[in-house]
Amino acid sequence: AKHASNAFLALKISFANAMARIAEAAGADVVAVTEVMGSDPRIGKDHLAAGLGYGGSCFPKDLLAFERLTNRLGYDFPLLREVARINEEAVDAAFRKVEEALWNLEGKRVALLGLAFKPGTDDVRFAPALGLADRLLSADAVVVGYDPEAGPNAKAELPALELADDPYTALAGAHAAVVCTQWEEVTALDLGKVRSVMALPIVVDGRNVFDPAEMAKHGFTYLPTGRPPVRP
């Protein structure tokens, strides 16, 4: 029952992320779509936020364990593999946004805001931010991360990652920033100050924490998840 429950919750997250890809292709707003979906009591709003995907130890581990169990019992359950694939696709989508915005990633400074798989923890196991950082580093970008709790653990997992003590230091001179974890320290950023310290005002919002109208007001190129982009 535990494996089935966690697999189903992971499915809801991946469904929202697949809807984000569809919304981006259609010029629609996934937040509006998932709000309507979540208002249906048969579905519920929990685990329907599109973003960088799930991480931590429970969902990936239980999804894999559940698939192994079904295989051992002689039942092929390909939906479970698709849930995991779409989860990986969410990180790939964020990477492509950074890549397309900067064209050439070599030597470009990219700030990752949040490294833990969710706020309120220092856990970076299967954290989407680290998956994204690894992709960016492989493309020869300079990656600097900020997290109020998970910095040392992230550095231990990915030594090439630079760490900053505060978000503005991470953003200083950055050619792009990616919101990876919705910490209050990230959601409460002074956008005017952010704009002034970045080399290029490009923000990829992997958690849809910012108001597009406010980002437009401050002159950002704002690339949210499953929502129309904002360009100056």
Side-chain angles (χ1 to χ4, degrees):
K2 177 179 180 292
H3 288 164
S5 294
N6 280 344
F8 189 78
L9 294 175
L11 182 152
K12 288 185 71 175
I13 295 170
S14 283
F15 190 93
N17 284 328
M19 288 303 306
R21 306 286 82 75
I22 295 168
E24 288 172 355
D29 186 341
V30 74
V31 174
V33 173
T34 53
E35 282 180 356
V36 173
M37 291 175 63
S39 67
D40 186 331
R42 298 169 300 175
I43 297 175
K45 64 181 180 179
D46 291 339
H47 295 82
L48 270 184
L52 284 179
Y54 58 79
S57 63
C58 289
F59 284 4
K61 172 178 61 68
D62 285 356
L63 196 70
L64 181 60
F66 194 35
E67 184 184 4
R68 288 175 175 170
L69 172 62
T70 62
N71 288 338
R72 193 162 64 245
L73 294 172
Y75 181 73
D76 185 26
F77 201 169
L79 179 60
L80 300 178
R81 294 191 293 276
E82 188 65 7
V83 167
R85 186 197 68 78
I86 293 172
N87 193 59
E88 294 172 2
E89 181 184 78
V91 171
D92 185 59
F95 172 81
R96 289 198 307 270
K97 287 176 183 175
V98 177
E99 186 178 44
E100 290 169 5
L102 295 179
W103 292 86
N104 178 20
L105 289 173
E106 184 178 359
K108 298 294 176 60
R109 182 180 175 89
V110 182
L112 302 186
L113 302 177
L115 300 168
F117 83 94
K118 68 177 182 178
T121 181
D122 63 359
D123 194 343
V124 296
R125 288 174 292 180
F126 299 102
L130 293 197
L132 177 58
D134 189 51
R135 289 284 307 275
L136 292 165
L137 288 166
S138 296
D140 295 323
V142 177
V143 184
V144 56
Y146 162 75
D147 192 288
E149 294 187 23
N153 289 342
K155 182 72 172 178
E157 289 287 328
L158 205 59
L161 173 70
E162 297 182 14
L163 291 181
D165 293 331
D166 67 83
Y168 298 106
T169 301
L171 290 161
H175 299 94
V178 185
V179 177
C180 298
T181 315
Q182 58 271 43
W183 288 98
E184 183 179 352
E185 289 86 343
V186 174
T187 62
L189 283 170
D190 180 330
L191 296 178
K193 185 175 180 179
V194 171
R195 176 69 178 81
S196 69
V197 301
M198 292 185 72
L200 294 175
I202 299 171
V203 175
V204 175
D205 195 342
R207 298 298 178 184
N208 288 333
V209 300
F210 294 125
D211 179 355
E214 282 296 307
M215 298 302 282
K217 176 182 174 182
H218 286 87
F220 286 97
T221 293
Y222 179 59
L223 307 171
T225 300
R227 312 185 83 179
V230 171
R231 304 184 192 278

